[in-house]
């Protein structure tokens, strides 16, 4: 029975990884598609490949995710992890349906915390505050400010350039910046699923606390998020690429470059599982504000902010409900 449950947990974790891929596909390529630097299918293929590669570039974020809660050994710990995953998947699907670029990362962390609280299990709030909440608040403000500054610098440096030549050059440059963004997404988000699977293996007694991530876990998570990215996220792509602000190639390049830089820094330096969605959305608003503040559609930004605020508690509540259902079906009956 325990082997069946852990198998189910791994499958559910990979389903979450897949939904993360199509939910966040827009993060890396929406700006490039909206500026016509890349066609949608070419952009998705590139993002899928870079997501796969990025998943192999580090394990620090995965380690942080695996330390958010301490589930008990055995089937009960596995049920808690499953409840957290189901809550995160449910919130991902709701926000995808409404086209809101919410955070899959915070949905996952909120889901794990909600399921653990429902089960009366220890939640490491210090880790959540230091590695999730503080970066969640700081990274969007930094991305907004950095996006604004980088775009101002680009406008000053290229102020005398031929407009048509500059546009063509930045369309080419966006291919590089979109690839960098997709690589950062794989580095950040695939690792979160790896951390959850490691948590499940730990609860099942298949690994010890200090063990490295098994290769099959890394490969499976990389493949799942890549397949999800390839399937696309057209609703959210429209929000990021058009509804917040109509981007041109220089602004698209600036937003992607800033967001990619933030993702690499937080993954390697701070080991923090930040939201790629928050980061790129804030960078898009920052570069858009260089036109004029009114150029940014703040009403749409307000809706996105509402989804950000709701993600952690909403995913936690859904995960708590999922835990009770799973506990009843798998342990009581």
């Amino acid at each position: 029975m325990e082997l069946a449950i852990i198998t189910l947990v791994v499958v559910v974790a990979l389903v979450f990884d897949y939904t993360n891929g199509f939910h966040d596909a827009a993060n890396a390529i929406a700006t490039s598609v909206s500026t016509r630097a890349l066609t949608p299918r070419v952009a998705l293929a590139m993002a899928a490949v870079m997501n796969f590669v990025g998943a192999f570039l580090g394990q620090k974020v995965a380690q942080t995710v695996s330390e958010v809660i301490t589930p008990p050994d055995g089937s009960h710990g596995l049920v808690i992890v499953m409840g957290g995953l189901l809550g995160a998947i449910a919130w991902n699907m709701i926000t995808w349906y409404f086209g809101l670029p919410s955070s899959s990362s915070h949905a996952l962390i909120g889901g794990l915390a909600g399921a653990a609280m429902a089960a009366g299990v220890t939640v490491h709030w210090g880790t959540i505050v230091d590695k999730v909440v503080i970066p969640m608040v700081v990274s969007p403000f930094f991305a907004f400010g950095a996006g604004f500054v980088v775009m101002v610098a680009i406008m000053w440096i290229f102020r005398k350039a031929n407009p048509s030549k500059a546009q063509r050059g930045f369309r080419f440059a966006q291919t590089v910046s979109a690839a960098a963004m997709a690589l950062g997404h794989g580095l950040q988000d695939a690792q979160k699923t790896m951390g959850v699977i490691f948590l499940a293996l730990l609860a099942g007694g298949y690994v010890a606390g200090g063990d490295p991530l098994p290769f099959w876990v890394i490969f499976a998570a990389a493949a799942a998020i890549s397949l999800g990215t390839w399937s696309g996220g057209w609703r959210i792509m429209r929000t990021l690429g058009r509804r917040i602000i109509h981007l041109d190639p220089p602004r698209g390049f600036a937003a992607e470059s800033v967001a990619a830089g933030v993702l690499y820094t937080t993954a390697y330096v701070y080991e923090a599982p930040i939201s790629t969605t928050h980061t790129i959305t804030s960078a898009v608003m920052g570069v858009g504000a260089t036109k004029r503040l009114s150029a940014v559609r703040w009403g749409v930004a307000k809706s996105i902010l509402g989804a950000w605020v709701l993600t952690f508690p909403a995913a936690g509540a859904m995960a708590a409900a999922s835990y009770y259902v799973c506990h009843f079906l798998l342990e009581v009956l």
Side-chain angles (χ1 to χ4, degrees):
M1 183 63 180
E2 190 170 295
L3 179 60
I5 294 176
I6 197 168
T7 302
L8 185 59
V9 170
V10 171
V11 170
V12 172
L14 293 177
V15 169
F16 167 79
D17 204 21
Y18 180 85
T19 65
N20 190 345
F22 77 72
H23 188 277
D24 289 3
N27 292 352
I29 62 174
T31 55
S32 296
V33 172
S34 70
T35 61
R36 299 181 182 179
L38 296 170
T39 64
R41 281 297 163 193
V42 170
L44 283 171
M46 181 197 67
V49 171
M50 299 307 286
N51 266 279
F52 185 85
V53 173
F56 288 87
L57 298 183
Q59 299 182 9
K60 292 182 178 180
V61 171
Q63 182 178 352
T64 297
V65 172
S66 69
E67 295 171 352
V68 168
I69 64 173
T70 304
D73 294 336
S75 60
H76 189 57
L78 295 171
V79 168
I80 294 169
V81 175
M82 183 181 294
L85 285 167
L86 290 174
I89 290 172
W91 184 246
N92 267 359
M93 296 305 295
I94 290 171
T95 52
W96 168 82
Y97 179 80
F98 289 103
L100 293 175
S102 67
S103 169
S104 297
S105 308
H106 299 150
L108 179 60
I109 302 297
L112 290 173
M117 290 175 67
V121 168
T122 300
V123 179
H124 299 288
W125 293 109
T127 299
I128 291 177
V129 171
D130 292 341
K131 299 291 187 179
V132 180
V133 176
I134 293 176
M136 178 179 72
V137 174
V138 173
S139 58
F141 284 103
F142 179 83
F144 182 95
F148 185 92
V149 170
V150 169
M151 191 59 224
V152 169
I154 287 174
M155 289 190 296
W156 187 83
I157 292 169
F158 293 93
R159 66 190 183 281
K160 295 181 181 179
N162 180 281
S164 61
K165 288 184 178 179
Q167 292 287 327
R168 286 196 299 271
F170 277 108
R171 279 199 177 93
F172 176 78
Q174 269 200 278
T175 304
V176 178
S177 61
M181 180 68 195
L183 191 73
H185 181 258
L187 174 66
Q188 274 277 347
D189 284 39
Q191 284 193 60
K192 295 157 192 171
T193 300
M194 297 176 203
V196 173
I197 294 176
F198 187 83
L199 200 59
L201 295 174
L202 194 62
Y206 291 91
V207 295
D211 289 349
L213 279 170
F215 176 80
W216 70 265
V217 173
I218 300 173
F219 183 87
I225 200 168
S226 296
L227 288 173
T229 300
W230 173 247
S231 69
W234 304 107
R235 293 174 183 267
I236 296 171
M237 192 180 298
R238 180 172 175 269
T239 298
L240 277 178
R242 294 287 184 181
R243 288 179 61 200
I244 294 176
I245 186 170
H246 184 77
L247 292 173
D248 54 22
R251 286 179 171 80
F253 169 77
E256 290 167 344
S257 300
V258 166
V262 173
L263 292 178
Y264 298 146
T265 302
T266 51
Y268 287 120
V269 178
Y270 298 106
E271 304 175 16
I274 70 161
S275 168
T276 55
T277 307
H278 290 195
T279 305
I280 186 61
T281 305
S282 300
V284 167
M285 289 191 287
V287 300
T290 59
K291 284 186 175 180
R292 59 186 186 281
L293 289 178
S294 60
V296 179
R297 297 183 178 95
W298 296 106
V300 177
K302 183 179 179 181
S303 299
I304 294 170
L305 180 62
W308 290 356
V309 173
L310 283 175
T311 291
F312 201 92
M318 292 179 182
S322 299
Y323 160 75
Y324 288 124
V325 173
C326 292
H327 175 63
F328 180 76
L329 293 177
L330 297 176
E331 295 186 283
V332 175
L333 291 181

